[in-house]
Amino acid sequence: MHLIALLLLTHTFVLSVFASPVVSEQQSLQVILSGHRPPGLPEYENGENPPAEDTEGWIDPRLNGGRFIDFTTKKFGEPLNVIISSLSDPFVLEEEGFRIYARSIGYFKECLGLHYGNIHEADLGDGLGRKEEHILFRQHYFPIFGSCWESLRGGHHFRAWRQNGTLANSGAWFIGASLEKDSSKNHKIEDDGYNLGRDWFVERAAMGSHWSGMWWRADVEWRTGLMPSGNKSINHGIPVDGRVAILTVHRL
């Protein structure tokens, strides 16, 4: 009897050691075939985190199916790398006030009011789906025709959308800023142009600015994890560092 009991215990131990890996492999195969992600693996890749909740002054578009990359083509887009929080001065949150503020940090409307290039769309998760850019401003090199010079020689520019739908009516401005090449290069983005364009916008906002008798200065919060880093889904295949600047613009 003792020998039989010992044999049964040995058999049970062997099964416990060698059975688990076999079951695990079968489960992994089922996961691969079904397309489901194995438990414990992260849902997001390339530095992106789950949608941010309880943010002040803006709402993460991903909570309602939006994203931090606009739609330049069917497959690719440009990063929405700056947010002007709705905690900012109310004047800046209105379209006309925002245009005046943009002038104070070195941008102006397009040359002679004429648009060049594609119209970009963005889904801010506010219930309005993909909507066309509200504003496109270019670097204003000098008075009168300063933005016309940008159209020729290249420089900084940005597109802006306001988050104002019923699902996310924050009133914040979502901005895609970049640095582009001259017209002979068909205004393609410079190497590292998305990061450089964002930084130029942010540096001037944080430094302080004025226009038409009004003065502003912005506080800056840097966020990571809102969009992937690298060049996944990014237009022209230009990598980004994945950082988004949250600006709160104060009127002085």
Side-chain angles (χ1 to χ4, degrees):
M1 292 295 292
H2 291 293
L3 179 60
I4 294 174
L6 180 61
L7 290 173
L8 287 173
L9 287 172
T10 303
H11 180 69
T12 303
F13 174 77
V14 171
L15 285 178
S16 66
V17 170
F18 292 100
S20 295
V22 174
V23 173
S24 177
E25 289 175 2
Q26 290 175 344
Q27 290 175 339
S28 298
L29 180 60
Q30 291 174 354
V31 164
I32 293 173
L33 292 177
S34 66
H36 295 295
R37 187 178 297 273
L41 290 182
E43 184 179 356
Y44 297 92
E45 301 173 350
N46 301 317
E48 188 179 12
N49 296 326
E53 299 183 0
D54 301 323
T55 54
E56 286 190 286
W58 58 282
I59 298 172
D60 192 330
R62 298 174 299 157
L63 291 170
N64 295 310
R67 67 180 196 174
F68 275 88
I69 301 173
D70 74 14
F71 296 90
T72 310
T73 68
K74 291 182 179 180
K75 295 183 178 180
F76 302 102
E78 301 189 353
L80 303 180
N81 46 24
V82 179
I83 298 174
I84 293 186
S85 160
S86 62
L87 300 179
S88 300
D89 181 79
F91 181 77
V92 174
L93 300 176
E94 299 298 327
E95 183 166 331
E96 184 57 30
F98 179 68
R99 290 177 182 272
I100 292 174
Y101 175 70
R103 290 207 66 177
S104 77
I105 58 174
Y107 298 91
F108 193 45
K109 62 184 178 181
E110 291 192 280
C111 177
L112 303 177
L114 301 175
H115 177 72
Y116 302 93
N118 297 332
I119 299 292
H120 292 207
E121 297 178 339
D123 187 345
L124 302 184
D126 59 3
L128 298 178
R130 289 166 53 166
K131 51 188 177 183
E132 294 183 352
E133 59 202 44
H134 293 158
I135 294 174
L136 171 58
F137 265 31
R138 299 186 181 277
Q139 184 176 349
H140 194 52
Y141 283 96
F142 45 77
I144 310 299
F145 296 112
S147 62
C148 296
W149 185 244
E150 192 279 340
S151 297
L152 291 174
R153 80 171 299 273
H156 293 277
H157 72 300
F158 73 84
R159 292 173 169 84
W161 294 260
R162 194 175 183 194
Q163 190 178 54
N164 58 356
T166 56
L167 294 183
N169 190 17
S170 73
W173 287 103
F174 283 69
I175 296 165
S178 58
L179 174 63
E180 65 181 5
K181 298 180 180 180
D182 61 46
S183 58
S184 68
K185 306 295 192 303
N186 296 318
H187 291 155
K188 289 185 178 179
I189 303 301
E190 291 278 5
D191 296 340
D192 200 31
Y194 297 120
N195 295 333
L196 292 173
R198 173 204 60 203
D199 293 349
W200 196 82
F201 188 111
V202 172
E203 287 169 4
R204 298 177 73 82
M207 182 173 57
S209 61
H210 64 93
W211 186 263
S212 190
M214 292 174 281
W215 295 73
W216 296 276
R217 187 181 66 246
D219 295 331
V220 186
E221 175 195 358
W222 291 99
R223 296 288 294 261
T224 58
L226 299 176
M227 72 172 77
S229 57
N231 63 359
K232 181 180 179 181
S233 301
I234 302 297
N235 201 30
H236 306 300
I238 296 172
V240 299
D241 61 15
R243 297 198 306 160
V244 177
I246 317 297
L247 301 181
T248 302
V249 181
H250 304 283
R251 189 168 174 178
L252 304 179

